[in-house]
Coordinates of all heavy atoms in Angstrom, one line a residue:
E9 N 285.9 6.2 165.4 CA 285.0 6.2 166.5 C 284.5 7.6 166.8 O 285.0 8.6 166.3 CB 285.7 5.7 167.8 CG 286.3 4.3 167.7 CD 285.3 3.2 168.0 OE1 284.1 3.5 168.2 OE2 285.7 2.1 168.0
G10 N 283.4 7.7 167.6 CA 282.9 9.0 167.9 C 281.4 8.9 168.3 O 280.8 7.8 168.1
I11 N 280.8 9.9 168.8 CA 279.4 9.8 169.2 C 278.5 9.8 167.9 O 279.0 10.1 166.8 CB 278.9 11.0 170.1 CG1 279.1 12.4 169.4 CG2 279.6 10.9 171.4 CD1 278.6 13.5 170.3
D12 N 277.3 9.5 168.0 CA 276.4 9.5 166.8 C 276.3 10.8 166.2 O 276.1 11.8 166.9 CB 275.0 9.0 167.3 CG 274.9 7.7 167.9 OD1 275.4 6.7 167.2 OD2 274.5 7.5 169.1
G13 N 276.6 10.9 164.9 CA 276.5 12.2 164.1 C 277.8 12.9 164.1 O 277.9 14.0 163.7
K16 N 281.6 10.1 160.9 CA 282.4 8.9 160.6 C 282.2 8.4 159.1 O 283.1 8.0 158.5 CB 282.1 7.7 161.5 CG 282.7 7.8 162.9 CD 282.4 6.6 163.7 CE 281.0 6.5 164.1 NZ 280.1 5.8 163.2
S17 N 280.9 8.4 158.7 CA 280.7 7.8 157.4 C 281.4 8.6 156.3 O 282.0 7.9 155.4 CB 279.2 7.8 157.0 OG 278.4 7.6 158.2
R38 N 281.3 -2.2 159.0 CA 280.7 -1.4 160.1 C 280.3 -2.4 161.2 O 280.0 -3.5 161.0 CB 279.5 -0.6 159.7 CG 278.3 -1.5 159.4 CD 277.0 -0.7 159.2 NE 276.0 -1.7 158.9 CZ 274.8 -1.3 158.5 NH1 274.5 0.0 158.5 NH2 273.9 -2.2 158.2
E39 N 280.4 -1.8 162.4 CA 279.9 -2.5 163.6 C 278.8 -1.8 164.3 O 278.8 -0.6 164.4 CB 281.1 -2.6 164.6 CG 281.9 -3.8 164.5 CD 282.4 -4.2 165.9 OE1 281.5 -4.2 166.8 OE2 283.5 -4.5 166.0
P40 N 277.8 -2.5 164.8 CA 277.6 -4.0 164.7 C 277.2 -4.3 163.3 O 276.5 -3.5 162.6 CB 276.5 -4.3 165.7 CG 275.7 -3.0 165.8 CD 276.7 -1.9 165.6
R50 N 272.6 -6.9 164.8 CA 272.4 -5.5 164.7 C 270.9 -5.1 164.8 O 270.5 -4.1 165.4 CB 273.0 -5.0 163.3 CG 272.9 -3.5 163.1 CD 273.4 -3.1 161.7 NE 273.1 -1.7 161.5 CZ 273.9 -0.7 161.8 NH1 275.0 -1.0 162.4 NH2 273.5 0.5 161.6
L54 N 269.4 -2.5 167.5 CA 268.9 -1.1 167.2 C 267.4 -1.0 167.2 O 266.9 0.1 167.2 CB 269.5 -0.7 165.8 CG 271.0 -0.7 165.8 CD1 271.5 -0.1 164.4 CD2 271.6 0.1 166.9
E66 N 273.0 -6.2 176.2 CA 273.5 -5.3 175.1 C 275.0 -5.5 174.8 O 275.4 -5.7 173.7 CB 273.1 -3.9 175.5 CG 273.5 -2.8 174.4 CD 273.1 -1.4 174.9 OE1 271.9 -1.1 174.9 OE2 274.0 -0.7 175.3
F70 N 276.8 -6.9 171.3 CA 277.8 -6.2 170.6 C 279.1 -7.0 170.4 O 279.7 -7.1 169.4 CB 278.2 -4.8 171.2 CG 277.2 -3.7 170.9 CD1 276.4 -3.1 171.8 CD2 277.1 -3.3 169.6 CE1 275.5 -2.1 171.5 CE2 276.2 -2.2 169.2 CZ 275.4 -1.7 170.2
E71 N 279.5 -7.7 171.6 CA 280.7 -8.5 171.6 C 280.5 -9.7 170.7 O 281.5 -10.1 170.0 CB 281.1 -8.9 173.0 CG 281.4 -7.7 173.9 CD 282.6 -6.9 173.6 OE1 283.4 -7.3 172.6 OE2 282.9 -5.9 174.3
R74 N 280.9 -8.7 167.2 CA 282.4 -8.3 167.0 C 283.2 -9.6 166.8 O 284.0 -9.7 165.9 CB 282.9 -7.6 168.2 CG 284.3 -7.1 168.2 CD 284.6 -6.1 169.2 NE 283.7 -4.9 168.9 CZ 283.0 -4.3 169.9 NH1 283.0 -4.7 171.1 NH2 282.2 -3.3 169.6
D95 N 284.1 1.0 160.7 CA 283.2 2.1 161.3 C 282.7 1.6 162.6 O 281.8 0.9 162.7 CB 282.1 2.4 160.3 CG 281.2 3.6 160.7 OD1 281.2 3.9 161.8 OD2 280.6 4.1 159.7
R96 N 283.4 2.0 163.7 CA 283.3 1.6 165.1 C 283.9 0.2 165.3 O 283.9 -0.7 164.4 CB 281.8 1.4 165.5 CG 281.1 2.7 165.5 CD 279.8 2.6 166.3 NE 279.0 3.8 166.2 CZ 279.2 4.9 166.9 NH1 280.3 4.9 167.8 NH2 278.5 6.0 166.8
F97 N 284.5 0.1 166.5 CA 285.1 -1.2 166.9 C 285.0 -1.2 168.5 O 284.1 -0.6 169.0 CB 286.5 -1.4 166.4 CG 287.0 -2.8 166.4 CD1 286.4 -3.8 165.8 CD2 288.2 -3.1 167.1 CE1 286.9 -5.1 165.8 CE2 288.7 -4.4 167.2 CZ 288.1 -5.4 166.5
F98 N 285.9 -1.9 169.1 CA 285.7 -2.1 170.6 C 285.8 -0.9 171.5 O 285.3 -0.9 172.6 CB 286.6 -3.2 171.1 CG 288.1 -3.1 171.0 CD1 288.7 -1.9 170.9 CD2 288.8 -4.3 171.1 CE1 290.1 -1.8 170.8 CE2 290.2 -4.2 171.0 CZ 290.8 -3.0 170.9
D99 N 286.3 0.3 170.9 CA 286.3 1.5 171.8 C 284.8 2.0 171.9 O 284.5 2.6 172.9 CB 287.1 2.6 171.1 CG 288.6 2.2 171.1 OD1 289.1 1.8 172.1 OD2 289.2 2.2 170.0
S100 N 283.9 1.6 171.0 CA 282.5 1.9 171.1 C 281.9 1.2 172.3 O 281.1 1.8 173.1 CB 281.7 1.6 169.9 OG 281.9 2.7 168.9
S101 N 282.3 0.0 172.5 CA 281.8 -0.8 173.7 C 282.3 -0.1 175.0 O 281.6 0.0 176.0 CB 282.2 -2.2 173.7 OG 281.5 -2.9 172.6
F102 N 283.6 0.3 174.9 CA 284.2 0.9 176.1 C 283.4 2.2 176.5 O 283.0 2.4 177.6 CB 285.6 1.3 175.8 CG 286.4 2.0 176.9 CD1 287.1 1.2 177.8 CD2 286.3 3.3 177.1 CE1 287.8 1.8 178.8 CE2 287.0 4.0 178.1 CZ 287.8 3.2 179.0
Y104 N 280.2 3.3 175.1 CA 278.8 3.2 175.3 C 278.4 2.3 176.4 O 277.6 2.7 177.3 CB 278.1 2.7 174.0 CG 278.0 3.7 172.8 CD1 279.1 4.0 172.0 CD2 276.8 4.3 172.6 CE1 279.0 5.0 171.0 CE2 276.7 5.3 171.5 CZ 277.8 5.6 170.8 OH 277.6 6.5 169.8
Q105 N 278.9 1.1 176.4 CA 278.5 0.2 177.5 C 279.3 0.3 178.8 O 278.7 0.4 179.9 CB 278.6 -1.3 177.0 CG 277.4 -1.7 176.0 CD 277.5 -1.0 174.7 OE1 278.5 -1.0 174.0 NE2 276.3 -0.5 174.3
R149 N 270.6 15.6 158.7 CA 270.6 14.4 158.0 C 269.2 13.7 157.9 O 268.9 13.0 157.0 CB 271.5 13.4 158.8 CG 271.9 12.2 158.1 CD 273.1 11.5 158.8 NE 272.7 11.0 160.1 CZ 273.5 10.5 161.0 NH1 274.8 10.4 160.6 NH2 273.1 10.0 162.1
D154 N 267.6 5.4 166.0 CA 267.5 4.0 166.5 C 267.4 3.9 168.0 O 267.5 4.9 168.7 CB 268.6 3.1 165.9 CG 270.0 3.6 166.3 OD1 270.2 3.9 167.5 OD2 270.8 3.7 165.4
I156 N 269.6 3.1 170.3 CA 270.7 3.7 171.1 C 270.8 5.2 170.8 O 271.0 6.0 171.8 CB 272.0 3.0 170.7 CG1 271.8 1.6 171.3 CG2 273.2 3.7 171.3 CD1 272.9 0.6 171.0
E157 N 270.5 5.7 169.6 CA 270.4 7.1 169.4 C 269.3 7.8 170.2 O 269.4 9.0 170.4 CB 270.2 7.4 167.9 CG 271.5 7.2 167.1 CD 271.2 7.2 165.6 OE1 270.0 7.1 165.2 OE2 272.1 7.3 164.8
F163 N 273.1 10.9 177.8 CA 273.8 9.6 177.5 C 274.9 9.9 176.5 O 276.0 9.4 176.6 CB 272.7 8.7 176.9 CG 273.3 7.3 176.5 CD1 273.5 6.3 177.5 CD2 273.6 7.0 175.2 CE1 274.1 5.1 177.2 CE2 274.1 5.8 174.9 CZ 274.4 4.8 175.8
Q164 N 274.6 10.7 175.4 CA 275.6 11.0 174.4 C 276.8 11.7 175.1 O 277.9 11.5 174.7 CB 275.0 11.9 173.3 CG 274.0 11.2 172.4 CD 274.6 10.1 171.5 OE1 275.7 10.2 171.1 NE2 273.8 9.1 171.3
Ligands
LIG1 P1 274.9 2.9 163.7 O1 273.7 3.2 162.9 O2 276.0 2.1 163.0 O3 275.4 4.3 164.2 P2 276.5 5.2 163.7 O4 276.1 5.5 162.3 O5 276.4 6.4 164.6 O6 277.8 4.5 163.8 O7 274.4 2.2 165.0 C1 275.3 1.7 165.9 C2 274.9 2.2 167.3 O8 275.4 1.2 168.2 C3 275.5 3.5 167.6 O9 274.5 4.3 168.4 C4 276.6 3.2 168.6 C5 276.2 1.9 169.2 N1 277.3 1.0 169.6 C6 277.4 0.6 171.0 O10 276.6 1.1 171.8 N2 278.4 -0.2 171.3 C7 279.2 -0.8 170.4 O11 280.1 -1.6 170.8 C8 279.1 -0.4 169.0 C9 280.0 -1.0 168.0 C10 278.1 0.5 168.7

Side-chain angles (χ1 to χ4, degrees):
E9 301 280 4
I11 61 173
D12 299 303
K16 282 183 291 90
S17 324
R38 70 167 177 189
E39 265 217 46
R50 180 185 175 87
L54 300 186
E66 183 179 281
F70 278 115
E71 299 291 359
R74 180 164 302 129
D95 185 334
R96 296 195 184 282
F97 197 58
F98 59 25
D99 298 305
S100 278
S101 290
F102 181 93
Y104 282 81
Q105 282 68 50
R149 193 167 67 183
D154 61 47
I156 293 175
E157 281 169 346
F163 181 79
Q164 291 292 329

